[in-house]
Amino acid sequence: MPFLYEQLDTLRDFGSYTEIPPYIQENVNQRFELRPYQIGAFENFITYFENEKMCCKPTQTLFHMATGSGKTMIMAGLMLYLYKKGYRNFLFFVNLSNIVNKTRENFLNALSSKYLFADEIRLNGERIQIKEVSNFQYSDDDAINICFTTTQGLHSDMWTAKENALSDDDFANKKVVFISDEAHHLNVDTKALAKNKDEQDNYKSWEYTVRRIFEMNKDNVLLEFTATCDIHNPQIRAEYESKIVYDYPLSKFRADGYSKEIKTLRSDVSVMERAIQAIMLSQYRLKVFQDNRLSVKPVVLFKAAKIADSNAFMEDLIDTVKNLTGDELRRVSELTDNETLGEAYTYFEKNGISFEQLAQELRDDFSAEHCISANDDKEAAARQIALNSLEDATNPYRAVFEVKKLDEGWDVLNLFDIVRLYETRQSSGKRISPATISEAQLIGRGARYCPFQIDDEQEKYKRKYDTDIDNPLRICEELYYHCQNDSRYIGELNNALREIGVDIENQTVRTYVLKDTFKADSLYREGLVFTNDRVEKSRNDVDGLLPSVREHIYAVKLSTGSSGEDTIFGAGNALTEKTVATYTYRTDIQTIADMNYAIVHKALCKYSVFKFNTLKSYFPNLKSTREFITSPNYLGAIKIEITSKYETPTPSILFSACVNVLGKVAESVSDIEITYVGTTEFKPTRISEMFKDKKCNYTIVHDGGLGYSQNDASVPNGWKIDLSKEDWFAFEDNFGTSEEKAFVAYFKSFIPHLKEKYDKVFLVRNERQLHIYSFDGGERFEPDYLLFLHKQNDAGYEQLQVFIEPKGTHLIADDKWKEDFLLEIEDKAVTTKIFVDDNKYKIWGFHFFNTDVRMNEFAKDMERL
């Protein structure tokens, strides 16, 4: 049986889902913009809840989402939604009291930096208050009433009569929304045996209390949230496959760029020396943030095995730091040859920071008043607000000491270093020990991304420097786990990380090294490279969707009816498959509208952003909804590829496809804030300033593709070249895609002819070092290669700069706007010079290079040279 979220994905494919209501986004804190996956989570729940055929009563759903993905924001938004549906009473419960305290702060304290709601909540034109209550006997019918408790506290209240506490009377005649955080603790009743007393207590609390009161009213709603639902456990899968309404695991969260990158920093040094390395690295990161005018204070977590050890080490570190000297830092810096630590030491030296000055800074920044322990129960409760506001400018703490208190429910973004204070291995067999799994989960929690933005082109909440290894800010997107250099332990830790969705091994670093001969050439030392800029465009001048939106080919795959039957037990374990013929139907919005205008118009009406008044705010020149649907500047030319079991799709299939595609267009329109255009004026920069040696991070692929040398054994013989011996290629090697390697090999055949006409011929790989902006839309583009051709004349020289982009066949149609832009450059680009000379500069762009469908066009481009 498919999971519930998979069934909802199918509905989404057919356009049968409910869009997120505007009032949710309007009434949550505007500082926390909703991310696409959060919007998807809202839409999945609302679609399910409002579908009478799917939704079971009482309603129980589980949101299986990665740590740091913003589950509490989804709780807040669902409170608003369910309030609109008539719910007034909300019971929040979790197994740990410190999580209750943190969540209470997030829901109720408008002065908290993590407050989840808008300053003023307005629903149905009325101002709505959020009130904390101890029970629901006298709850306010016009407010959102929240009762906060622990699972154990709820169990106690329900079975022992107490004044002002919850009782059966609170649930007998009222519909209640139950919100359970860290809900994997409730899953123990689905396991064969509860393994320890805590699990048995949780089991009883859940089985005898929560389940009983939840089922008192058929209109009750239970919203469960967890990052670690063990869906591989058959009992848990059977229980929850019909309840997991949204699935967004850590592996997807990390792949989408919403987490820090995770690194282990292993060293054969003492625990205290490891701690000193960590605080030096933390101070380096602080300075990188400061260099870029970012007010971020990095925090170090010191993880011990026992509370006594943690408390003792905290005292030792405070005493060590208090007496820290420059000589001691110099000694520690010489213990390892780690590249990242080496970058930190080089930074200090280049910026005139002596080890003595650094020691003074560390004595101040990591003194006793900047250290906090989270070990003691009373201490953790009293300091929970401080531990959950470490990012605040007024929060003084740089170092946190703990054993287990922060393993769950800890929301911190500016944790960048975790130091393991013990060197034992917990596992002696093949299974990963619970302690190592706990460490991996702590690393996953610490990997929450710390948002920052250097310019308005960057996405604030995503990693920006995955492939730009040399960028100093890369250290600000990484979490370092400092531990002993024990291969068996590291292997176990990597396996544990892999189990929670983090694979840190399948990556490699390649370095593009400029040849000395190229760096010595006058073209490199004194020559110019030209790029344009983008400028804001008045909305009054906007007359269409962005090219990347209107020229994209949208693939829609609908249910085909394929099925199968498996005989699990019996002779031969027979497997039978019933396949259904599938067809791909290619069309566009204009064609569908010509056949039946109502199909497109009806699909358009499903999205509020396509109401005409709203569209006019984005596109002032738009004259009618019909123009928006039929004009090639808007929806008309949008291409759709429908895969289904119908050779000619029915009207309902076309409608489903339109709903699917228009949903994606709606997202891009809703995201519009400022519109840009690329300038036709191209300004010069010294080539030597633009292109330098460059380190790149690649996830290794096979068959001589991305990340492999052009001379690797896996590269086809026809493309294989030792580029270190080719004077026309600026770098020592090429690690690009297979299509790029094919281009470089093809280009080589033209070198003798080009050298007959030009005295300098250089092909330069552009690894995110240079970017240009499309004339129509101002969209950023980083062409893969630049060709420089140089010809001397009496007055000086002529230089031709050509932008070239090899492109895989599957991307040509989607990236058509890039090719269109390249082909416009020759006629539209105007070179401006800030250096006075008599030289002539020209800029061209070529067709995409592609061995399947662009060879004729590209060959003609080359012949022009």
Side-chain angles (χ1 to χ4, degrees):
M1 177 179 176
F3 285 103
L4 173 59
Y5 66 84
E6 293 173 327
Q7 298 175 49
L8 291 166
D9 287 344
T10 300
L11 287 180
R12 187 179 289 271
D13 287 341
F14 280 91
S16 302
Y17 74 100
T18 305
E19 194 179 7
I20 180 173
Y23 63 80
I24 291 181
Q25 300 195 62
E26 292 165 1
N27 286 289
V28 295
N29 194 323
Q30 297 302 298
R31 291 199 305 114
F32 310 123
E33 61 185 55
L34 293 183
R35 302 171 186 176
Y37 63 83
Q38 292 172 324
I39 292 173
F42 283 123
E43 291 176 342
N44 271 23
F45 176 82
I46 294 169
T47 300
Y48 174 69
F49 189 73
E50 296 182 0
N51 188 320
E52 294 181 0
K53 294 181 180 179
M54 291 185 74
C55 188
C56 300
K57 301 288 186 177
T59 304
Q60 179 183 356
T61 58
L62 174 69
F63 293 82
H64 186 221
M65 300 179 70
T67 297
S69 59
K71 293 188 287 292
T72 50
M73 176 60 76
I74 293 171
M75 295 177 198
L78 290 178
M79 284 182 177
L80 298 170
Y81 169 75
L82 291 167
Y83 179 93
K84 286 272 286 186
K85 291 295 181 182
Y87 290 83
R88 297 296 182 267
N89 301 312
F90 298 82
L91 176 65
F92 177 90
F93 62 100
V94 70
N95 68 312
L96 296 175
S97 59
N98 65 312
I99 302 179
V100 172
N101 296 333
K102 173 209 69 172
T103 308
R104 180 185 284 114
E105 183 83 357
N106 294 348
F107 282 144
L108 301 176
N109 183 5
L111 299 178
S112 168
S113 62
K114 296 182 180 178
Y115 182 61
L116 294 164
F117 296 100
D119 292 338
E120 185 176 88
I121 300 174
R122 285 199 170 272
L123 297 171
N124 302 323
E126 299 292 329
R127 184 176 180 180
I128 307 300
Q129 289 185 301
I130 299 176
K131 295 184 176 180
E132 181 177 12
V133 296
S134 56
N135 60 59
F136 299 130
Q137 291 301 304
Y138 303 102
S139 58
D140 187 340
D141 285 341
D142 295 321
I144 293 174
N145 306 278
I146 311 178
C147 178
F148 296 92
T149 184
T150 62
T151 310
Q152 296 81 1
L154 176 63
H155 180 69
S156 174
D157 289 345
M158 295 304 299
W159 291 93
T160 307
K162 300 176 187 176
E163 187 176 357
N164 294 325
L166 289 165
S167 67
D168 280 3
D169 293 339
D170 289 283
F171 304 96
N173 299 306
K174 292 183 174 67
K175 58 183 185 181
V176 177
V177 178
F178 298 74
I179 302 175
S180 171
D181 198 8
E182 305 295 349
H184 53 278
H185 291 284
L186 303 183
N187 303 154
V188 294
D189 65 317
T190 65
K191 298 177 184 177
L193 291 171
K195 296 181 180 179
N196 56 47
K197 186 178 183 301
D198 287 341
E199 285 190 339
Q200 291 171 2
D201 290 343
N202 284 335
Y203 172 86
K204 292 175 182 176
S205 299
W206 169 240
E207 183 69 19
Y208 297 138
T209 304
V210 180
R211 175 69 66 185
R212 182 175 65 84
I213 60 178
F214 167 60
E215 293 176 348
M216 280 186 179
N217 190 318
K218 70 178 181 61
D219 290 322
N220 283 346
V221 176
L222 171 59
L223 307 173
E224 297 183 66
F225 295 84
T226 183
T228 53
C229 180
D230 184 11
I231 57 177
H232 298 297
N233 181 306
Q235 289 85 10
I236 291 180
R237 176 174 178 131
E239 173 70 19
Y240 276 95
E241 65 185 359
S242 63
K243 299 180 177 71
I244 300 179
V245 71
Y246 197 72
D247 184 63
Y248 193 67
L250 180 58
S251 56
K252 184 81 165 66
F253 184 63
R254 177 172 173 260
D256 287 347
Y258 287 110
S259 73
K260 299 186 188 85
E261 193 54 273
I262 297 169
K263 298 287 186 72
T264 55
L265 203 160
R266 312 182 305 275
S267 56
D268 293 320
V269 297
S270 70
V271 171
M272 184 58 73
E273 289 165 341
R274 190 180 304 149
I276 293 173
Q277 286 179 341
I279 64 175
M280 282 197 285
L281 188 60
S282 182
Q283 201 69 359
Y284 164 54
R285 192 180 285 105
L286 173 69
K287 291 184 178 300
V288 173
F289 274 125
Q290 290 174 342
D291 289 345
N292 290 274
R293 299 183 181 181
L294 295 167
S295 180
V296 178
K297 174 199 65 181
V299 169
V300 183
L301 173 70
F302 296 94
K303 169 81 170 173
K306 300 177 182 177
I307 290 178
D309 295 340
S310 180
N311 294 340
F313 186 82
M314 180 175 174
E315 290 183 12
D316 288 347
L317 182 66
I318 290 172
D319 185 60
T320 299
V321 168
K322 183 178 179 180
N323 297 293
L324 202 57
T325 65
D327 288 341
E328 176 64 6
L329 292 183
R330 182 178 290 103
R331 184 189 70 81
V332 171
S333 75
E334 294 170 351
L335 293 175
T336 58
D337 59 355
N338 178 268
E339 185 175 358
T340 301
L341 290 171
E343 290 173 1
Y345 305 144
T346 300
Y347 172 91
F348 296 138
E349 182 179 356
K350 283 185 176 180
N351 287 272
I353 302 170
S354 67
F355 280 116
E356 192 54 55
Q357 289 173 302
L358 181 61
Q360 179 59 54
E361 289 184 17
L362 297 178
R363 290 197 295 269
D364 293 338
D365 287 11
F366 288 88
S367 58
E369 56 267 32
H370 298 300
C371 298
I372 183 170
S373 170
N375 291 319
D376 184 75
D377 284 333
K378 295 179 182 178
E379 189 178 15
R383 298 188 179 186
Q384 192 62 36
I385 293 176
L387 287 165
N388 278 293
S389 61
L390 287 167
E391 304 97 334
D392 291 0
T394 56
N395 187 297
Y397 298 110
R398 289 287 302 277
V400 178
F401 299 79
E402 75 102 32
V403 176
K404 287 186 177 180
K405 293 297 180 185
L406 303 178
D407 285 7
E408 291 184 350
W410 188 34
D411 298 329
V412 61
L413 303 177
N414 57 335
L415 173 64
F416 290 93
D417 296 278
I418 299 175
V419 184
R420 189 177 191 258
L421 299 179
Y422 44 99
E423 300 193 349
T424 55
R425 286 194 307 272
Q426 281 73 33
S427 175
S428 57
K430 293 182 179 179
R431 296 188 62 183
I432 304 170
S433 73
T436 305
I437 292 173
S438 176
E439 291 167 9
Q441 290 171 340
L442 176 63
I443 291 170
R445 182 165 294 279
R448 293 167 181 254
Y449 188 72
C450 185
F452 66 88
Q453 199 173 25
I454 302 300
D455 59 58
D456 60 5
E457 289 185 56
Q458 293 181 333
E459 290 192 70
K460 184 174 183 179
Y461 296 95
K462 281 189 174 185
R463 294 193 307 273
K464 306 156 187 63
Y465 306 105
D466 278 4
T467 59
D468 193 359
I469 291 183
D470 289 330
N471 196 304
L473 281 162
R474 183 176 164 83
I475 192 75
C476 301
E477 297 187 332
E478 296 173 327
L479 171 75
Y480 277 85
Y481 186 68
H482 303 254
C483 59
Q484 77 271 26
N485 190 20
D486 182 319
S487 59
R488 286 179 60 190
Y489 167 72
I490 293 300
E492 183 180 349
L493 177 65
N494 285 340
N495 288 335
L497 288 168
R498 201 172 290 114
E499 281 203 359
I500 66 168
V502 179
D503 188 347
I504 63 176
E505 293 184 310
N506 192 30
Q507 294 184 340
T508 189
V509 174
R510 301 288 189 235
T511 303
Y512 280 94
V513 179
L514 283 170
K515 291 174 181 167
D516 291 338
T517 52
F518 179 61
K519 289 190 290 185
D521 194 279
S522 60
L523 178 77
Y524 178 77
R525 290 184 287 104
E526 301 166 10
L528 305 178
V529 57
F530 291 84
T531 57
N532 70 338
D533 208 339
R534 66 173 189 170
V535 293
E536 189 173 337
K537 182 179 183 180
S538 167
R539 295 301 314 169
N540 292 327
D541 296 328
V542 175
D543 57 4
L545 294 166
L546 286 173
S548 59
V549 176
R550 66 176 186 249
E551 294 175 4
H552 183 76
I553 295 179
Y554 295 85
V556 179
K557 186 174 183 180
L558 302 177
S559 179
T560 61
S562 295
S563 64
E565 292 184 4
D566 308 337
T567 303
I568 303 301
F569 299 105
N573 290 344
L575 306 178
T576 64
E577 293 286 341
K578 183 178 181 180
T579 59
V580 177
T582 60
Y583 302 91
T584 299
Y585 181 82
R586 295 174 175 85
T587 186
D588 55 52
I589 297 289
Q590 169 76 64
T591 302
I592 297 173
D594 288 345
M595 288 192 307
N596 189 336
Y597 181 82
I599 290 176
V600 183
H601 189 265
K602 183 181 176 183
L604 203 73
C605 290
K606 292 186 71 70
Y607 302 100
S608 57
V609 74
F610 292 139
K611 291 178 180 177
F612 186 69
N613 288 342
T614 304
L615 281 175
K616 281 286 284 186
S617 68
Y618 288 111
F619 308 105
N621 296 315
L622 187 65
K623 295 179 177 59
S624 66
T625 298
R626 181 174 287 274
E627 181 190 8
F628 186 72
I629 289 175
T630 59
S631 169
N633 286 344
Y634 296 98
L635 298 179
I638 284 181
K639 295 178 176 61
I640 308 176
E641 291 185 351
I642 305 170
T643 302
S644 73
K645 59 183 178 180
Y646 301 99
E647 188 171 4
T648 302
T650 63
S652 64
I653 293 290
L654 292 174
F655 172 71
S656 296
C658 285
V659 170
N660 183 297
V661 171
L662 292 178
K664 296 168 184 173
V665 176
E667 289 180 12
S668 68
V669 172
S670 299
D671 289 342
I672 294 174
E673 294 179 358
I674 300 174
T675 302
Y676 296 93
V677 293
T679 62
T680 56
E681 184 180 89
F682 278 63
K683 296 181 179 179
T685 304
R686 294 285 187 195
I687 294 176
S688 56
E689 294 174 11
M690 187 72 73
F691 294 102
K692 302 178 185 296
D693 292 355
K694 179 83 173 192
K695 287 183 182 177
C696 300
N697 193 43
Y698 294 118
T699 299
I700 284 293
V701 295
H702 298 291
D703 301 326
L706 192 66
Y708 282 89
S709 163
Q710 183 102 23
N711 202 34
D712 190 83
S714 62
V715 174
N717 287 333
W719 305 345
K720 196 172 177 182
I721 307 172
D722 183 356
L723 289 170
S724 66
K725 298 177 180 178
E726 303 292 336
D727 61 1
W728 49 269
F729 197 77
F731 289 96
E732 294 283 353
D733 207 342
N734 173 39
F735 304 103
T737 63
S738 296
E739 202 69 46
E740 290 182 47
K741 291 183 172 73
F743 158 68
V744 171
Y746 175 81
F747 181 81
K748 180 183 177 182
S749 66
F750 286 84
I751 293 300
H753 308 291
L754 291 173
K755 286 188 174 181
E756 290 176 4
K757 295 185 177 295
Y758 303 97
D759 53 39
K760 297 180 189 293
V761 178
F762 287 110
L763 183 65
V764 182
R765 174 72 163 88
N766 175 36
E767 185 59 58
R768 301 178 67 92
Q769 293 171 297
L770 172 150
H771 58 266
I772 49 181
Y773 298 95
S774 66
F775 300 128
D776 181 8
E779 294 178 281
R780 183 180 173 126
F781 176 30
E782 298 167 351
D784 286 332
Y785 291 89
L786 275 81
L787 172 61
F788 292 99
L789 299 174
H790 182 283
K791 184 189 297 184
Q792 202 72 35
N793 59 34
D794 294 339
Y797 62 81
E798 296 177 13
Q799 177 182 304
L800 178 59
Q801 170 184 317
V802 185
F803 294 110
I804 299 174
E805 175 82 353
K807 184 67 62 179
T809 306
H810 63 294
L811 296 171
I812 284 180
D814 275 354
D815 283 347
K816 181 178 181 297
W817 68 270
K818 294 181 181 178
E819 187 172 37
D820 291 343
F821 171 41
L822 288 174
L823 298 178
E824 291 177 308
I825 288 176
E826 181 179 352
D827 291 332
K828 291 187 176 181
V830 178
T831 60
T832 61
K833 292 183 284 187
I834 55 176
F835 309 104
V836 178
D837 62 40
D838 295 320
N839 303 319
K840 293 181 180 179
Y841 300 94
K842 293 181 181 179
I843 309 172
W844 287 3
F846 279 1
H847 287 86
F848 285 158
F849 175 89
N850 176 269
T851 52
D852 294 329
V853 296
R854 281 292 187 276
M855 291 309 294
N856 287 338
E857 294 86 347
F858 195 84
K860 291 177 181 178
D861 290 339
M862 289 297 299
E863 288 167 10
R864 291 188 60 207
L865 297 179

